[in-house]
Structures are given as structure tokens and as C-alpha cells.
Amino acid sequence: MIKYIFYFTTLLLSIVSSYAQDFQGMAVYESKTSMADLNNRLDSNKDITPEMRKMIEERVKGMFEKTFTLHFDKVASIYEEEQKLDAPGQDGGPFKMMSSMTGGGGKQYKNVKDKKVMMEKDIFGKEFLVSDSLPVIKWKMENESKKIGNYTCYKATAQMPVDKSNMMNFRPKKGAEEKIKKLQEEGNEEELKKTNFMDMVEMPDFVEVTAWYTPEIPINQGPANYWGLPGLILEVNDGKTNILCSKIVLNTKEKVEIKEPKKGQKVTQEEFAEILMKKMQEMQQMGGPGGGGRMRMGG
């Protein structure tokens, strides 16, 4: 009898181990960023006609509303934006480029065992592979719960290190917008052209986030840079952007290979942020009075 019990236990452990190794799932997330800042700027600009405003809002909508897919197993995940076709008459251009600099673009790989994150980024046709350690998130468990779909979720809050590769995290320095407005009113184009982008904006070190996770899917994964809770994160809000899970499929029949991306020049997040700043300054100079020529990459 002891022999059979030992055999049964060994067989059960083998089945459980096999299930754990083969376990895989897929979650779809809808990301929406508040357009309040954009609307305020459009409201304050008297030169923008209703037709121009509608065109701008339609063109930048893709930057503020995105759909992502998260493929995950027990330790790793791939997070990727759903690719959409441009509307008729729109070839992407600067709007497509800006979208890749606001949290979209290529794949993001997270490995919670190795504490590693890798992101594919593209700036003006040059590919980068941003590789770094997973950000440390000190979650505080809150005494609140709610349903998201069929899953019971629990609330957690944290101060999250800011993703410096996402332009959406920039904010104007105090008095910066007033200074620009004054120069515009004075028609001081020379000073406007000299204005350094980096002198006008800043990026906070941390942002307050609220997450909702479900222990019913016991993996510490989530969308974007979020991870580290005792269950899959189904919703997260940083005060400006809300990411909400709209679909979950567990143990998908077609397995997706979850592996590190390899495409692009390998840089750290800090190095990529410096490259991003430099290219944004070039873009500003090209768009200013007397600006022209092609923007170059490298160097």
C-alpha cells in the first residue's frame, strides 16, 4: 500500500509540475490617457478653428487610446501594442513616430524571476532595445475589492518609478508655458527658436499608482512595467493613464514563444531617455522659424 501511495504522489507531483511548466495565458488591455491637457491647450489657442481642432483630436487619438496584448507564463511575459491601420489619407508620419514615443511601439519583455525588463523602441527609423532591471515597486495592500469581469480583484497602491522612455510622463516646468506664450505674443521668434526643450519640461521621479489584481490567476505579472503582486494585475491607474483588462484566455491551445527580444541597439533606460531628449530638441529646432532639413539619427 505504501508503495502505491508513493507512486500516486510522485505521479501527482509530476502532473502538477508539468502543468506549471506548460501554463500560459493571454490578456487584452485597453489603455486610455486623459486628453485634458491637450484640450486646455486647444481651448487657449485662438488661432485654431473648429475644423483644425477636430483634425488634431482625430490624429492624436491613437496616442491616447491604445490596445495591448499580454502573453504570459509563470515567470515571463510579452506585452505588445495592437497594430492598427492608418485611416484613409493618413500615412502616419510624425503622429506615428510620436505614438512610439508615448508608450507604444514594439514588444516589452518582463522576467520576474531574473528581474529583467526589455523594450523595443523606434525613433525616426532607428531601433533600440532598452534593457534594464525591473523597477522595484513597494506595494501597499488596501482593504478594498471589486469585480473585473468574472474575477474578484483586490486594491494595492504604490509610488512607482516613472518610465523615462515615455513622453507622456513629461510635464511643463512652473512658468514655462507662460514664458512661451509671452514670447509668442511679443512675436519674438529669435528667442523662441533659442528656447531649449529641456529647460521647459521636467519628469518626476515617482508617480502614485493604484492597481487591482486577482489572486485567481496566481502570477505576479501585469501590463506595461507593473508587476510584483500576488495575482495578475487587471487594472492600473497613474492619475493620467488607465489600463484595464478586457479579455483573458488561460491555457491557450496555441502556445506563444515568450522570449527576450533581440532587435535594436542595446541601451539602458537612462541612455535611451538622453537620446530621446536630444531628438526632441532637434525636432523642436526643425519646427521653429527658419528650421528645415532632415532629422538624423546616431551620434
Side-chain angles (χ1 to χ4, degrees):
M1 177 64 72
I2 294 176
K3 180 180 178 181
Y4 287 113
I5 291 175
F6 175 77
Y7 174 77
F8 178 76
T9 303
T10 303
L11 178 63
L12 183 61
L13 286 174
S14 175
I15 293 172
V16 171
S17 175
S18 174
Y19 171 79
Q21 290 173 2
D22 294 339
F23 171 77
Q24 194 175 102
M26 182 272 291
V28 176
Y29 291 88
E30 309 295 334
S31 170
K32 292 188 178 182
T33 300
S34 170
M35 293 180 64
D37 290 342
L38 173 64
N39 289 330
N40 290 337
R41 286 177 172 82
L42 293 176
D43 289 339
S44 64
N45 193 325
K46 307 300 182 184
D47 296 328
I48 295 180
T49 64
E51 293 76 17
M52 289 172 62
R53 178 178 183 133
K54 183 179 179 181
M55 183 273 291
I56 292 171
E57 289 176 341
E58 288 177 351
R59 293 302 298 268
V60 302
K61 186 177 180 181
M63 292 168 54
F64 291 84
E65 296 182 11
K66 300 173 184 285
T67 300
F68 294 86
T69 300
L70 180 76
H71 290 279
F72 56 86
D73 57 26
K74 285 289 183 179
V75 299
S77 67
I78 290 287
Y79 188 63
E80 189 171 13
E81 183 181 356
E82 179 184 284
Q83 298 302 309
K84 299 177 182 178
L85 293 175
D86 293 324
Q90 296 182 5
D91 59 357
F95 289 95
K96 189 172 184 179
M97 177 275 297
M98 292 289 284
S99 179
S100 71
M101 295 161 69
T102 55
K107 298 176 182 177
Q108 183 198 55
Y109 170 85
K110 289 201 305 289
N111 189 308
V112 297
K113 182 180 179 182
D114 297 336
K115 304 294 187 293
K116 178 192 296 184
V117 59
M118 304 178 81
M119 297 171 282
E120 291 179 348
K121 292 284 185 178
D122 182 295
I123 307 180
F124 308 117
K126 184 171 177 65
E127 296 174 336
F128 294 91
L129 183 59
V130 185
S131 180
D132 236 318
S133 301
L134 273 173
V136 176
I137 310 174
K138 296 181 179 179
W139 294 106
K140 177 185 176 184
M141 304 304 186
E142 307 288 353
N143 190 27
E144 292 183 47
S145 64
K146 70 175 182 178
K147 281 277 191 177
I148 297 179
N150 296 322
Y151 294 93
T152 300
C153 296
Y154 298 90
K155 183 179 179 181
T157 57
Q159 271 202 333
M160 173 89 177
V162 167
D163 178 5
K164 298 184 184 300
S165 65
N166 188 338
M167 274 178 50
M168 287 293 188
N169 292 324
F170 286 121
R171 63 188 182 192
K173 287 183 179 178
K174 188 176 180 179
E177 290 183 296
E178 290 78 5
K179 178 181 177 182
I180 291 294
K181 187 176 181 180
K182 183 179 178 181
L183 291 173
Q184 289 173 335
E185 290 173 349
E186 295 172 349
N188 195 337
E189 295 185 353
E190 192 62 33
E191 282 299 317
L192 279 171
K193 189 175 180 180
K194 291 179 182 178
T195 302
N196 191 314
F197 177 79
M198 281 300 294
D199 292 337
M200 307 303 292
V201 297
E202 62 185 1
M203 185 174 285
D205 293 324
F206 295 91
V207 63
E208 296 285 343
V209 298
T210 298
W212 295 88
Y213 67 95
T214 177
E216 294 170 33
I217 306 177
I219 61 168
N220 55 357
Q221 287 280 355
N225 281 343
Y226 302 105
W227 72 288
L229 285 166
L232 180 64
I233 298 172
L234 299 191
E235 183 178 2
V236 65
N237 189 295
D238 66 2
K240 183 183 291 184
T241 299
N242 190 77
I243 305 174
L244 177 64
C245 182
S246 59
K247 179 182 179 180
I248 295 176
V249 180
L250 298 179
N251 291 318
T252 52
K253 292 181 179 179
E254 294 184 10
K255 301 297 181 182
V256 174
E257 192 173 13
I258 300 175
K259 62 179 183 179
E260 296 181 9
K262 302 292 184 182
K263 191 166 56 176
Q265 177 184 333
K266 197 169 183 179
V267 294
T268 65
Q269 189 180 64
E270 185 177 350
E271 290 169 339
F272 182 78
E274 290 176 359
I275 294 168
L276 181 61
M277 291 299 93
K278 183 178 179 181
K279 297 310 161 186
M280 289 183 68
Q281 289 176 37
E282 288 184 11
M283 184 167 61
Q284 179 199 14
Q285 291 167 1
M286 287 179 63
R294 294 176 61 85
M295 187 166 298
R296 57 183 176 80
M297 280 303 306

